Amino acid sequence: MAETLAPPRLLPSGDSAITVEFSRTIDDAANRRVLALDRLIAAEPIAGITETVPTYRSLLVHYDPVQITFDALAEQLLARAAKAPPSESGTRRWRIPVTYGGEHGIDLEDVAKALKTTPDEIVARHVAGDYRVAMIGFTPGWSYLSGLEKFLHMPRRKDPRLLTPAGTISIGGIQTGVQCLAGPSGWHLLGRTPVRTYQLHRDPTFLLEPGDAITFSAVDAKTFAEQDRAAEAGEFVAELVTP
Amino acid sequence: MSKLVVSSIGPASSVQDGGRPGSQRYGLTPSGAMDRLSLAAANALVGNDLLAAAIEIGPFGAAFTARGGAVRVGLAGAPRNADIGGRAVAFDGTATLAEGETLNLGFARGGSFSYLAIEHGIEGEPMFGSLAVNARAGLGSPYPRPLQSGDELKTQAASGAAERRIELPAATDAPIRIVFGPQDDEFAEENKKLFTDSEWKISATSDRMGYRLEGPVIKHLDGHNIVSDGTVNGSIQVPGNGQPIVLMPDRGTSGGYPKIATVITADFGRFAQISAGRPFRFKAVTMAEAQAEAIKFHQLLRSLPERLRGIEDFGLNIEALRDANVAGQAVSAIDAATWQVAVP
């Protein structure tokens, strides 16, 4: 099977990092190969690699040029990419509570209007989805999920908001996401979760890993408030579902 | 216990160290000093670990007062007028503040960031192994935010060691070297050429996340959106308006604009020191050259403790004064204005 896979492109990101690019578009198969290579590098380390950063379509490999050159590392990365099986093993599945609409999801009604349906239908479809953490990036814990059904695909806002709340659950383009910290966003806000994907002084500090499976469950605002207090005190709130 | 109390300080000043790499896969940006060489020089002066936490002082002035005992400090980076109670203090040197004395620092000249290292280090609670401030993520210690007047940085009493200077390579205003990629194929050759042939300025709206560049419009071949991928310090992304942004230590760990090139490791600190509005150029180098320079840069960092000298070695030797000028900035080393204040 491995011999049918096209080799990734190796792109220089300065003198201390290589971008291993499997695809130029959002593509679940490419993402699985990214995560497979990431796991293989963790299992069979290459001296000189300091850190790896998986994204939708590429693996950014940081390295120390004092220990290994671009050419030597490129060769080893290509060899590993050729043998990394693009399958998942030991996937964790999380159920994440979300309160949809109202003050917690100020765009829900507009999204329903734009998609010519009702807010309830949007919530039902969003909750029904089976998602995967394709990457975590931008700010701590910001988890980009793949698996949003086509009906819910929607272009980003023309005018990004400069400040959206911590815990926001939103959709943008063909993705949905769990935002951890307050910050700017051009996505459409459907709801909020009490789950902290990043919380200092909690073990683990980061809850989700790239490759984790995610489902959402709708909760009312009162439950959200209770769970938000529990989460603030260090509880996960997100539920680890037995596969 | 001694402490350094912040008497006054401008914006963009914070505790920074070598940063906290290792969690970029979770979206946690590394932060850390804008100019590593100057941070390391300040630390070397007072015998600290080279990438230990120090105070990164932005372009505006600042003042610090010793309380609870004497405090010994090392100063490096962008030079400024500096005195303790009217007694001139040399840059790229150490000074000791007796109990109650105040170190006054003026505006940065010929650079943006100066580093004040405290002998015995700054007491704090490391988060992911680092005290570096990343205000957005609520990280940093002793304060998870930029410094303010009244803040206290605890340390141990000054050792009473003789004051020192450090010999650094002469400053240069040579072009900032880059390697093309990872998305330089999103730009036509003529636009890559425009990028390296043009004069650029850094916009006043720049910060620790990114330096916005002002210059000719760099056009994309095929739109300005790419699927987000990872970033590094020095990634030069080109958004829709064609004005590049160079990503700095507080950058987002991923981004969705094509990145035409990357500033090389050896020149990153020098780039970070370029003041807003000062013209500069880029120069493309090969990967082999960039990596050779990166190795030389690491060797230079490691050699800093060997570059310490007693102040008597400096005397009024003009050559030594010139050599003692900071390396982490894009100014002429023989511009008298940049070293005159270094005369005790």
Side-chain angles (χ1 to χ4, degrees):
Chain A
M1 184 168 157
E3 58 277 359
T4 65
L5 299 172
R9 294 206 304 163
L10 298 184
L11 311 170
S13 263
D15 52 46
S16 309
I18 296 182
T19 300
V20 185
E21 185 187 82
F22 289 93
S23 168
R24 302 183 78 146
T25 56
I26 292 183
D27 170 347
D28 238 25
N31 187 242
R32 285 174 200 280
R33 290 191 68 194
V34 168
L35 299 181
L37 177 61
D38 187 44
R39 279 196 304 271
L40 190 62
I41 290 172
E44 298 173 23
I46 300 170
I49 290 184
T50 53
E51 184 169 6
T52 56
V53 186
T55 73
Y56 276 116
R57 61 193 184 94
S58 59
L59 185 69
L60 181 62
V61 177
H62 292 266
Y63 67 99
D64 176 3
V66 176
Q67 289 188 57
I68 191 166
T69 63
F70 178 92
D71 291 340
L73 180 56
E75 194 177 312
Q76 295 212 44
L77 288 172
L78 281 176
R80 285 218 183 12
K83 72 187 240 199
S87 65
E88 311 254 315
S89 55
T91 300
R92 298 186 302 177
R93 178 173 292 278
W94 298 93
R95 189 178 294 140
I96 291 182
V98 183
T99 181
Y100 287 94
E103 58 169 324
H104 295 309
I106 57 174
D107 294 330
L108 179 62
E109 302 226 351
D110 287 347
V111 168
K113 267 186 209 136
L115 298 178
K116 298 185 174 55
T117 182
T118 64
D120 284 352
E121 169 82 6
I122 300 292
V123 172
R125 284 177 179 268
H126 193 255
V127 165
D130 184 10
Y131 306 104
R132 244 174 86 260
V133 178
M135 67 177 273
I136 302 173
F138 187 54
T139 56
W142 218 122
S143 305
Y144 295 76
L145 311 185
S146 63
L148 186 71
E149 69 155 311
K150 200 156 187 170
F151 182 83
L152 294 175
H153 293 183
M154 234 185 118
R156 290 183 183 84
R157 289 168 56 86
K158 281 212 180 74
D159 220 1
R161 292 194 175 93
L162 292 178
L163 192 65
T164 57
T168 290
I169 303 293
S170 54
I171 55 176
I174 67 170
Q175 315 155 71
T176 186
V178 182
Q179 175 182 340
C180 186
L181 303 178
S185 173
W187 293 21
H188 305 275
L189 282 45
L190 298 188
R192 274 181 82 189
T193 180
V195 172
R196 272 73 166 158
T197 53
Y198 159 70
Q199 192 171 15
L200 204 57
H201 307 304
R202 183 188 63 192
D203 186 22
T205 304
F206 297 98
L207 191 66
L208 307 180
E209 291 280 344
D212 283 359
I214 303 287
T215 52
F216 293 113
S217 63
V219 297
D220 58 24
K222 184 166 163 285
T223 308
F224 170 84
E226 287 165 11
Q227 292 185 330
D228 194 49
R229 281 191 292 276
E232 188 56 39
E235 283 182 39
F236 289 166
V237 183
E239 202 183 328
L240 195 53
V241 186
T242 318
Chain B
M1 167 164 295
S2 295
K3 60 193 178 189
L4 204 56
V5 178
V6 179
S7 310
S8 70
I9 199 155
S13 300
S14 59
V15 170
Q16 295 293 339
D17 57 19
R20 53 174 67 82
S23 296
Q24 295 186 75
R25 61 194 293 107
Y26 301 115
L28 182 65
T29 194
S31 297
M34 297 283 265
D35 175 1
R36 241 159 212 268
L37 178 61
S38 296
L39 169 76
N43 275 318
L45 278 161
V46 289
N48 292 348
D49 288 343
L50 293 177
L51 298 180
I55 306 172
E56 179 177 274
I57 305 165
F60 301 99
F64 304 91
T65 304
R67 295 287 176 202
V71 175
R72 186 159 171 260
V73 298
L75 267 172
R80 315 169 180 248
N81 290 329
D83 73 79
I84 298 172
R87 187 167 96 234
V89 171
F91 254 74
D92 300 328
T94 60
T96 301
L97 290 81
E99 155 68 30
E101 282 190 322
T102 297
L103 169 67
N104 291 297
L105 296 169
F107 281 56
R109 286 182 293 113
S112 295
F113 296 99
S114 308
Y115 292 84
L116 179 70
I118 304 175
E119 187 186 41
H120 307 302
I122 294 169
E123 292 205 355
E125 184 198 348
M127 299 166 176
F128 303 94
S130 165
L131 301 186
V133 170
N134 173 353
R136 196 165 46 159
L139 295 175
S141 183
Y143 303 97
R145 52 162 173 77
L147 286 170
Q148 301 170 357
S149 298
D151 285 351
E152 299 184 346
L153 302 165
K154 295 191 178 109
T155 187
Q156 292 164 45
S159 66
E163 305 299 0
R164 299 253 183 93
R165 299 285 178 273
I166 192 164
E167 282 180 356
L168 296 173
T172 168
D173 52 8
I176 299 297
R177 291 166 293 180
I178 54 153
V179 287
F180 278 114
Q183 281 98 32
D184 57 310
D185 57 354
E186 299 271 346
F187 302 87
E189 280 305 318
E190 67 203 62
N191 273 293
K192 288 167 67 174
K193 198 165 178 316
L194 184 63
F195 178 74
T196 49
D197 284 357
S198 302
E199 196 169 82
W200 296 93
K201 286 179 182 170
I202 292 165
S203 145
T205 60
S206 299
D207 59 19
R208 285 186 45 90
M209 271 188 88
Y211 278 13
R212 292 165 185 277
L213 303 186
E214 293 168 347
V217 171
I218 305 296
K219 291 200 177 81
H220 306 80
L221 275 173
D222 187 23
H224 60 266
N225 278 301
I226 59 165
V227 178
S228 290
D229 83 339
T231 65
V232 302
N233 282 353
S235 288
I236 306 172
Q237 59 178 25
V238 184
N241 65 7
Q243 297 290 273
I245 301 172
V246 185
L247 301 184
M248 304 306 285
D250 281 355
R251 67 194 149 81
T253 55
S254 58
Y257 296 122
K259 297 176 285 291
I260 189 170
T262 313
V263 175
I264 72 170
T265 302
D267 285 358
F268 183 75
R270 192 161 65 84
F271 171 74
Q273 288 284 15
I274 298 175
S275 319
R278 189 185 180 98
F280 71 97
R281 287 172 187 277
F282 289 112
K283 179 189 175 198
V285 296
T286 65
M287 179 60 73
E289 285 174 89
Q291 298 208 303
E293 288 299 314
I295 290 166
K296 271 162 64 181
F297 180 74
H298 287 288
Q299 287 166 343
L300 171 61
L301 276 189
R302 277 204 304 274
S303 76
L304 289 175
E306 294 148 31
R307 293 166 167 265
L308 294 174
R309 302 287 180 264
I311 45 176
E312 66 284 356
D313 296 337
F314 279 73
L316 283 176
N317 178 334
I318 295 299
E319 287 301 309
L321 281 172
R322 196 183 67 194
D323 288 348
N325 201 356
V326 293
Q329 52 164 348
V331 297
S332 164
I334 50 171
D335 173 4
T338 61
W339 54 257
Q340 260 175 359
V341 289
V343 182

mmCIF file of all heavy atoms in Angstrom, chain B residues 3-5 7 63-71 83-87 89 95-104 163:
data_model
loop_
_atom_site.group_PDB
_atom_site.id
_atom_site.type_symbol
_atom_site.label_atom_id
_atom_site.label_comp_id
_atom_site.label_asym_id
_atom_site.label_seq_id
_atom_site.Cartn_x
_atom_site.Cartn_y
_atom_site.Cartn_z
ATOM 1 N N LYS B 3 15.519 43.076 45.603
ATOM 2 C CA LYS B 3 14.579 43.105 44.477
ATOM 3 C C LYS B 3 14.787 44.368 43.669
ATOM 4 O O LYS B 3 15.294 45.360 44.198
ATOM 5 C CB LYS B 3 13.142 42.976 44.959
ATOM 6 C CG LYS B 3 12.680 44.045 45.884
ATOM 7 C CD LYS B 3 11.361 43.653 46.541
ATOM 8 C CE LYS B 3 10.910 44.736 47.524
ATOM 9 N NZ LYS B 3 9.772 44.329 48.330
ATOM 10 N N LEU B 4 14.397 44.263 42.415
ATOM 11 C CA LEU B 4 14.438 45.418 41.528
ATOM 12 C C LEU B 4 12.983 45.845 41.343
ATOM 13 O O LEU B 4 12.159 45.049 40.898
ATOM 14 C CB LEU B 4 15.069 45.007 40.196
ATOM 15 C CG LEU B 4 15.718 46.106 39.367
ATOM 16 C CD1 LEU B 4 16.782 46.852 40.159
ATOM 17 C CD2 LEU B 4 16.349 45.497 38.118
ATOM 18 N N VAL B 5 12.680 47.083 41.722
ATOM 19 C CA VAL B 5 11.314 47.568 41.610
ATOM 20 C C VAL B 5 11.220 48.439 40.354
ATOM 21 O O VAL B 5 12.091 49.279 40.113
ATOM 22 C CB VAL B 5 10.920 48.386 42.862
ATOM 23 C CG1 VAL B 5 9.506 48.944 42.735
ATOM 24 C CG2 VAL B 5 11.037 47.516 44.109
ATOM 25 N N SER B 7 10.261 51.412 38.576
ATOM 26 C CA SER B 7 9.823 52.761 38.957
ATOM 27 C C SER B 7 8.992 53.387 37.843
ATOM 28 O O SER B 7 8.023 54.090 38.094
ATOM 29 C CB SER B 7 11.031 53.654 39.227
ATOM 30 O OG SER B 7 11.924 53.017 40.105
ATOM 31 N N ALA B 63 12.879 52.997 34.361
ATOM 32 C CA ALA B 63 13.702 53.220 35.557
ATOM 33 C C ALA B 63 13.435 52.103 36.555
ATOM 34 O O ALA B 63 12.301 51.628 36.681
ATOM 35 C CB ALA B 63 13.387 54.585 36.162
ATOM 36 N N PHE B 64 14.496 51.674 37.223
ATOM 37 C CA PHE B 64 14.402 50.555 38.168
ATOM 38 C C PHE B 64 15.144 50.929 39.445
ATOM 39 O O PHE B 64 16.242 51.499 39.372
ATOM 40 C CB PHE B 64 15.048 49.302 37.567
ATOM 41 C CG PHE B 64 14.474 48.903 36.242
ATOM 42 C CD1 PHE B 64 15.022 49.392 35.061
ATOM 43 C CD2 PHE B 64 13.380 48.057 36.162
ATOM 44 C CE1 PHE B 64 14.491 49.034 33.821
ATOM 45 C CE2 PHE B 64 12.847 47.682 34.925
ATOM 46 C CZ PHE B 64 13.400 48.177 33.757
ATOM 47 N N THR B 65 14.560 50.563 40.585
ATOM 48 C CA THR B 65 15.157 50.904 41.876
ATOM 49 C C THR B 65 15.465 49.636 42.668
ATOM 50 O O THR B 65 14.640 48.723 42.711
ATOM 51 C CB THR B 65 14.185 51.807 42.674
ATOM 52 O OG1 THR B 65 13.863 52.949 41.874
ATOM 53 C CG2 THR B 65 14.819 52.270 43.987
ATOM 54 N N ALA B 66 16.652 49.603 43.267
ATOM 55 C CA ALA B 66 17.047 48.456 44.101
ATOM 56 C C ALA B 66 16.427 48.612 45.486
ATOM 57 O O ALA B 66 16.463 49.700 46.079
ATOM 58 C CB ALA B 66 18.563 48.389 44.199
ATOM 59 N N ARG B 67 15.838 47.543 45.998
ATOM 60 C CA ARG B 67 15.262 47.542 47.352
ATOM 61 C C ARG B 67 15.706 46.272 48.063
ATOM 62 O O ARG B 67 15.877 45.227 47.419
ATOM 63 C CB ARG B 67 13.727 47.570 47.291
ATOM 64 C CG ARG B 67 13.137 48.828 46.708
ATOM 65 C CD ARG B 67 13.268 49.988 47.685
ATOM 66 N NE ARG B 67 12.785 51.228 47.074
ATOM 67 C CZ ARG B 67 13.148 52.451 47.476
ATOM 68 N NH1 ARG B 67 14.010 52.579 48.484
ATOM 69 N NH2 ARG B 67 12.680 53.515 46.879
ATOM 70 N N GLY B 68 15.859 46.380 49.362
ATOM 71 C CA GLY B 68 16.192 45.198 50.159
ATOM 72 C C GLY B 68 17.647 44.789 50.043
ATOM 73 O O GLY B 68 18.028 43.720 50.509
ATOM 74 N N GLY B 69 18.448 45.615 49.404
ATOM 75 C CA GLY B 69 19.869 45.302 49.244
ATOM 76 C C GLY B 69 20.342 45.703 47.864
ATOM 77 O O GLY B 69 19.551 46.159 47.032
ATOM 78 N N ALA B 70 21.628 45.518 47.617
ATOM 79 C CA ALA B 70 22.200 45.898 46.320
ATOM 80 C C ALA B 70 21.782 44.894 45.240
ATOM 81 O O ALA B 70 21.540 43.723 45.529
ATOM 82 C CB ALA B 70 23.716 45.948 46.417
ATOM 83 N N VAL B 71 21.688 45.387 44.006
ATOM 84 C CA VAL B 71 21.335 44.532 42.864
ATOM 85 C C VAL B 71 22.343 44.808 41.751
ATOM 86 O O VAL B 71 22.624 45.969 41.428
ATOM 87 C CB VAL B 71 19.899 44.839 42.360
ATOM 88 C CG1 VAL B 71 19.590 44.033 41.112
ATOM 89 C CG2 VAL B 71 18.868 44.559 43.444
ATOM 90 N N ASP B 83 22.016 56.005 33.475
ATOM 91 C CA ASP B 83 22.776 56.469 34.637
ATOM 92 C C ASP B 83 22.146 55.982 35.932
ATOM 93 O O ASP B 83 20.971 55.625 35.969
ATOM 94 C CB ASP B 83 22.884 58.002 34.635
ATOM 95 C CG ASP B 83 21.565 58.663 35.009
ATOM 96 O OD1 ASP B 83 21.249 58.720 36.214
ATOM 97 O OD2 ASP B 83 20.840 59.110 34.092
ATOM 98 N N ILE B 84 22.994 55.933 36.960
ATOM 99 C CA ILE B 84 22.523 55.637 38.312
ATOM 100 C C ILE B 84 22.865 56.869 39.131
ATOM 101 O O ILE B 84 24.035 57.146 39.388
ATOM 102 C CB ILE B 84 23.230 54.397 38.907
ATOM 103 C CG1 ILE B 84 22.924 53.158 38.063
ATOM 104 C CG2 ILE B 84 22.806 54.165 40.355
ATOM 105 C CD1 ILE B 84 23.725 51.925 38.460
ATOM 106 N N GLY B 85 21.837 57.656 39.482
ATOM 107 C CA GLY B 85 22.071 58.870 40.265
ATOM 108 C C GLY B 85 23.092 59.794 39.619
ATOM 109 O O GLY B 85 23.965 60.336 40.295
ATOM 110 N N GLY B 86 23.030 59.922 38.292
ATOM 111 C CA GLY B 86 23.927 60.832 37.590
ATOM 112 C C GLY B 86 25.238 60.183 37.175
ATOM 113 O O GLY B 86 26.005 60.751 36.396
ATOM 114 N N ARG B 87 25.507 58.964 37.669
ATOM 115 C CA ARG B 87 26.730 58.230 37.330
ATOM 116 C C ARG B 87 26.447 57.451 36.049
ATOM 117 O O ARG B 87 25.530 56.633 36.017
ATOM 118 C CB ARG B 87 26.952 57.293 38.515
ATOM 119 C CG ARG B 87 28.162 56.505 38.593
ATOM 120 C CD ARG B 87 28.244 55.931 40.036
ATOM 121 N NE ARG B 87 27.733 54.581 40.153
ATOM 122 C CZ ARG B 87 26.800 54.181 41.014
ATOM 123 N NH1 ARG B 87 26.208 55.031 41.821
ATOM 124 N NH2 ARG B 87 26.445 52.926 41.060
ATOM 125 N N VAL B 89 26.291 54.845 33.065
ATOM 126 C CA VAL B 89 26.374 53.389 33.030
ATOM 127 C C VAL B 89 26.630 52.965 31.592
ATOM 128 O O VAL B 89 25.989 53.480 30.673
ATOM 129 C CB VAL B 89 25.078 52.744 33.555
ATOM 130 C CG1 VAL B 89 25.067 51.247 33.309
ATOM 131 C CG2 VAL B 89 24.895 53.050 35.030
ATOM 132 N N ALA B 95 26.593 46.916 36.081
ATOM 133 C CA ALA B 95 26.538 48.020 37.038
ATOM 134 C C ALA B 95 25.870 47.497 38.296
ATOM 135 O O ALA B 95 25.076 46.558 38.231
ATOM 136 C CB ALA B 95 25.738 49.189 36.459
ATOM 137 N N THR B 96 26.222 48.093 39.428
ATOM 138 C CA THR B 96 25.606 47.674 40.681
ATOM 139 C C THR B 96 24.818 48.835 41.271
ATOM 140 O O THR B 96 25.327 49.954 41.383
ATOM 141 C CB THR B 96 26.679 47.189 41.675
ATOM 142 O OG1 THR B 96 27.376 46.100 41.073
ATOM 143 C CG2 THR B 96 26.034 46.713 42.972
ATOM 144 N N LEU B 97 23.561 48.562 41.591
ATOM 145 C CA LEU B 97 22.720 49.564 42.248
ATOM 146 C C LEU B 97 22.752 49.269 43.742
ATOM 147 O O LEU B 97 22.391 48.175 44.174
ATOM 148 C CB LEU B 97 21.260 49.449 41.798
ATOM 149 C CG LEU B 97 20.878 49.846 40.370
ATOM 150 C CD1 LEU B 97 21.193 48.725 39.395
ATOM 151 C CD2 LEU B 97 19.387 50.180 40.329
ATOM 152 N N ALA B 98 23.204 50.248 44.527
ATOM 153 C CA ALA B 98 23.142 50.085 45.983
ATOM 154 C C ALA B 98 21.678 50.218 46.404
ATOM 155 O O ALA B 98 20.845 50.761 45.657
ATOM 156 C CB ALA B 98 23.990 51.152 46.654
ATOM 157 N N GLU B 99 21.367 49.713 47.581
ATOM 158 C CA GLU B 99 20.012 49.831 48.133
ATOM 159 C C GLU B 99 19.485 51.249 47.932
ATOM 160 O O GLU B 99 20.170 52.225 48.277
ATOM 161 C CB GLU B 99 20.070 49.473 49.629
ATOM 162 C CG GLU B 99 18.981 50.079 50.505
ATOM 163 C CD GLU B 99 17.610 49.509 50.213
ATOM 164 O OE1 GLU B 99 17.521 48.335 49.812
ATOM 165 O OE2 GLU B 99 16.618 50.260 50.376
ATOM 166 N N GLY B 100 18.302 51.358 47.341
ATOM 167 C CA GLY B 100 17.659 52.667 47.173
ATOM 168 C C GLY B 100 18.067 53.414 45.914
ATOM 169 O O GLY B 100 17.439 54.406 45.558
ATOM 170 N N GLU B 101 19.108 52.959 45.218
ATOM 171 C CA GLU B 101 19.533 53.665 44.007
ATOM 172 C C GLU B 101 18.650 53.306 42.818
ATOM 173 O O GLU B 101 18.120 52.197 42.746
ATOM 174 C CB GLU B 101 20.992 53.327 43.675
ATOM 175 C CG GLU B 101 21.988 54.076 44.528
ATOM 176 C CD GLU B 101 23.417 53.925 44.028
ATOM 177 O OE1 GLU B 101 23.787 52.819 43.565
ATOM 178 O OE2 GLU B 101 24.164 54.916 44.099
ATOM 179 N N THR B 102 18.541 54.265 41.878
ATOM 180 C CA THR B 102 17.687 54.060 40.703
ATOM 181 C C THR B 102 18.514 54.107 39.424
ATOM 182 O O THR B 102 19.330 55.011 39.242
ATOM 183 C CB THR B 102 16.587 55.145 40.653
ATOM 184 O OG1 THR B 102 15.768 55.009 41.813
ATOM 185 C CG2 THR B 102 15.713 54.996 39.403
ATOM 186 N N LEU B 103 18.278 53.087 38.569
ATOM 187 C CA LEU B 103 18.882 53.062 37.233
ATOM 188 C C LEU B 103 17.898 53.710 36.268
ATOM 189 O O LEU B 103 16.752 53.270 36.152
ATOM 190 C CB LEU B 103 19.148 51.613 36.812
ATOM 191 C CG LEU B 103 19.525 51.357 35.348
ATOM 192 C CD1 LEU B 103 20.887 51.948 35.005
ATOM 193 C CD2 LEU B 103 19.507 49.864 35.044
ATOM 194 N N ASN B 104 18.332 54.791 35.631
ATOM 195 C CA ASN B 104 17.468 55.483 34.661
ATOM 196 C C ASN B 104 17.918 55.165 33.250
ATOM 197 O O ASN B 104 19.102 55.301 32.929
ATOM 198 C CB ASN B 104 17.565 56.999 34.871
ATOM 199 C CG ASN B 104 16.936 57.420 36.176
ATOM 200 O OD1 ASN B 104 15.730 57.255 36.379
ATOM 201 N ND2 ASN B 104 17.764 57.916 37.089
ATOM 202 N N GLU B 163 33.026 45.017 38.166
ATOM 203 C CA GLU B 163 32.188 45.281 36.994
ATOM 204 C C GLU B 163 32.911 44.815 35.724
ATOM 205 O O GLU B 163 34.138 44.795 35.664
ATOM 206 C CB GLU B 163 31.845 46.767 36.898
ATOM 207 C CG GLU B 163 31.185 47.340 38.159
ATOM 208 C CD GLU B 163 29.862 46.700 38.546
ATOM 209 O OE1 GLU B 163 29.389 45.773 37.837
ATOM 210 O OE2 GLU B 163 29.286 47.106 39.570
#
